[in-house]
Amino acid sequence: MNALELSGVKVGVVIPCYRVERQIADVIRGIPAAIGSLIVVVDGSPDGTRAAVEALGDPRVTLLVHEENRGVGAAMSTGFAEAMRQKLDIVVKMDGDGQMDPEHLPRLIAPLLDGQADVAKCNRYGSLASLREMPLVRILGNAGLTFLVKLASGYWNTFDPANGYLALRAGVLQRLALERLPRRYFFESGLLIALGIQRAVVLDVAAPARYGDERSSLSIPGSLLGFPPRLLLGFVKRIFLRYFVYDFSPASLYLLLGLPLVGFGAGYALWWMSRSKAPGEVASAGDVMLAAMPIILGVQLLLQAAAFDVQSVPARPLCPPLRRRPGTQLH
C-alpha cells in the first residue's frame, strides 16, 4: 500500500456488518494501523459476527449492535452519528464482507485531504480487467441504475452509484439529516441524492472490487421494482429544492415555461381526440398547430433545462481544506 500523509487528520472507518462471521476479522486486520477509529455496527446479524469482532480485541474498534436487522442504511446512520461524536475529520464506509480492498484507502482519502472534494467514492468500472472480474448480473444491473441515479442526484460526472466504498468529510455529514437517509439497499443512491441537494463535490476513484464466496442478500427483482419509483421521487425533490427553494437559475425559468407548454399541448391533443367528431372529420391545421407548437417549444425548453443541469455538477467543495501538519503516514 502506498504511503499517504494524514497530517494529523482524524480518519475513521465505519463497517456495517451482517452475516460476515468469516470475513470480518480479515477486514479489520487489513485496515492500516494509522486509521485510529474503526466503528463496527453489527446489524442484527444472527451468526457469530459480533463474537468474531470481540475476539480480535482491537483497541481501535468501537462496537455498536442493533439487536434487530434494520438494513445497511440504518447501520451507517448509527455509525455516522458515532463518527461525529468522535469528532472525526474523514469517515470511510467499508463493508464487512471483504469486497472492499483497504489497498485503495490512500487514493480514496487523498482527494479529501487535498481539498479537491467533499466525498470520494470507488468506481469498479475503471478498466476492462475490473469488468472481467465482475459478475455479469452486476454489470447489467449497474449500467441501468447508473443513468437513473445520475438523473436523480445530478452527479452526471460519476459512475457506479451502487458502489458503497466511499469516504466523506465530516462537515458534509453534519449537513445531512441522517435519520432521513434510506434504511436499506437504497442507501447509496439515497445518499447521493441527499449530497446532490446540498451540492457537495463527489469524485470517482477507480478501484476494482474483490469477489469471493460471499452471498449478497440484495434481491435483484426487488431492486428493479423498488428503485425506479424512489429515484423518481428523489429526482423531483432535488429539482424542486435546488431550482426553486435554494436557488433560482435559468433552468428554473426553462422548467416553469416548458412544463406548462408541454402539458397544454398534450392536454389539447387528448381533448381533441376524445371529443365527439363527425364521421371522417380530421384535425384542422389550426388544431394541429395548437397542439404541436406548445409541445415542440416546451420540449426545447426542457432540453435546455437538462443541459443546464448537466453543466451544473458541483465543482467547489463545501468543506474548507483540512489543515496539513507533519504527522502520521498511512501504510
Side-chain angles (χ1 to χ4, degrees), residues 40-112:
V40 180
V41 184
V42 178
D43 186 36
S45 186
D47 61 359
T49 298
R50 177 176 181 176
V53 175
E54 292 173 335
L56 286 174
D58 192 321
R60 300 176 297 169
V61 171
T62 299
L63 180 60
L64 305 175
V65 178
H66 292 172
E67 295 301 331
E68 296 181 357
N69 179 254
R70 305 181 195 171
V72 62
M76 287 308 303
S77 293
T78 297
F80 284 156
E82 175 63 20
M84 290 191 289
R85 190 192 70 78
Q86 295 183 14
K87 298 182 179 179
L88 299 179
D89 299 307
I90 294 175
V91 184
V92 179
K93 175 186 178 290
M94 181 184 294
D95 291 343
D97 58 9
Q99 290 188 12
M100 299 173 179
D101 193 342
E103 182 76 20
H104 306 308
L105 270 172
R107 290 189 295 112
L108 186 62
I109 296 172
L112 277 60

Side-chain angles (χ1 to χ4, degrees), residues 39 61 88 140 144 177 189 201 235 248:
I39 302 170
V61 171
L88 299 179
L140 296 177
S189 301
V201 174
F235 168 74
F248 197 87

Side-chain angles (χ1 to χ4, degrees), residues 78-320:
T78 297
F80 284 156
E82 175 63 20
M84 290 191 289
R85 190 192 70 78
Q86 295 183 14
K87 298 182 179 179
L88 299 179
D89 299 307
I90 294 175
V91 184
V92 179
K93 175 186 178 290
M94 181 184 294
D95 291 343
D97 58 9
Q99 290 188 12
M100 299 173 179
D101 193 342
E103 182 76 20
H104 306 308
L105 270 172
R107 290 189 295 112
L108 186 62
I109 296 172
L112 277 60
L113 290 173
D114 296 337
Q116 299 176 4
D118 299 302
V119 179
K121 55 177 286 295
C122 287
N123 177 7
R124 295 166 290 183
Y125 294 86
S127 68
L128 288 176
S130 300
L131 289 176
R132 292 191 187 101
E133 295 176 2
M134 188 179 298
L136 179 61
V137 66
R138 301 194 187 201
I139 295 176
L140 296 177
N142 282 336
L145 179 64
T146 291
F147 174 76
L148 294 178
V149 176
K150 284 174 178 282
L151 183 66
S153 67
Y155 287 115
W156 297 95
N157 61 326
T158 64
F159 212 73
D160 194 12
N163 195 326
Y165 195 3
L166 49 85
L168 308 92
R169 287 288 303 273
V172 169
L173 287 177
Q174 293 170 358
R175 293 170 175 258
L176 303 179
L178 297 180
E179 69 281 359
R180 295 184 181 178
L181 292 176
R183 303 286 90 180
R184 297 193 177 273
Y185 291 106
F186 191 70
F187 169 74
E188 285 82 6
S189 301
L191 177 62
L192 282 175
I193 294 171
L195 292 170
I197 291 173
Q198 295 297 325
R199 292 193 60 77
V201 174
V202 177
L203 184 68
D204 269 359
V205 175
R210 300 185 299 189
Y211 296 104
D213 59 355
E214 68 281 341
R215 291 185 177 182
S216 173
S217 53
L218 174 62
S219 168
I220 295 177
S223 300
L224 292 175
L225 293 174
F227 273 41
R230 301 187 72 174
L231 288 171
L232 176 60
L233 181 61
F235 168 74
V236 172
K237 180 179 180 181
R238 177 180 72 87
I239 293 299
F240 175 71
L241 291 176
R242 284 294 354 146
Y243 291 112
F244 297 103
V245 177
Y246 299 151
D247 195 10
F248 197 87
S249 66
S252 308
L253 290 175
Y254 298 150
L255 290 168
L256 284 175
L257 294 173
L259 288 172
L261 283 172
V262 171
F264 173 82
Y268 184 83
L270 291 173
W271 170 81
W272 192 92
M273 289 185 293
S274 64
R275 71 183 182 86
S276 299
K277 298 181 287 291
E281 181 183 356
V282 296
S284 66
D287 287 326
V288 172
M289 292 298 293
L290 197 55
M293 285 304 297
I295 293 176
I296 294 172
L297 291 175
V299 167
Q300 289 296 318
L301 289 168
L302 294 180
L303 288 175
Q304 288 294 321
F308 185 93
D309 191 56
V310 171
Q311 295 169 1
S312 299
V313 173
R316 180 178 297 179
L318 299 173
C319 299

Side-chain angles (χ1 to χ4, degrees), residues 14-28 40-41 49 72 93-100 214:
V14 177
I15 309 174
C17 298
Y18 183 73
R19 294 184 182 271
V20 292
E21 176 183 6
R22 292 183 296 173
Q23 298 93 6
I24 187 59
D26 289 338
V27 170
I28 292 175
V40 180
V41 184
T49 298
V72 62
K93 175 186 178 290
M94 181 184 294
D95 291 343
D97 58 9
Q99 290 188 12
M100 299 173 179
E214 68 281 341

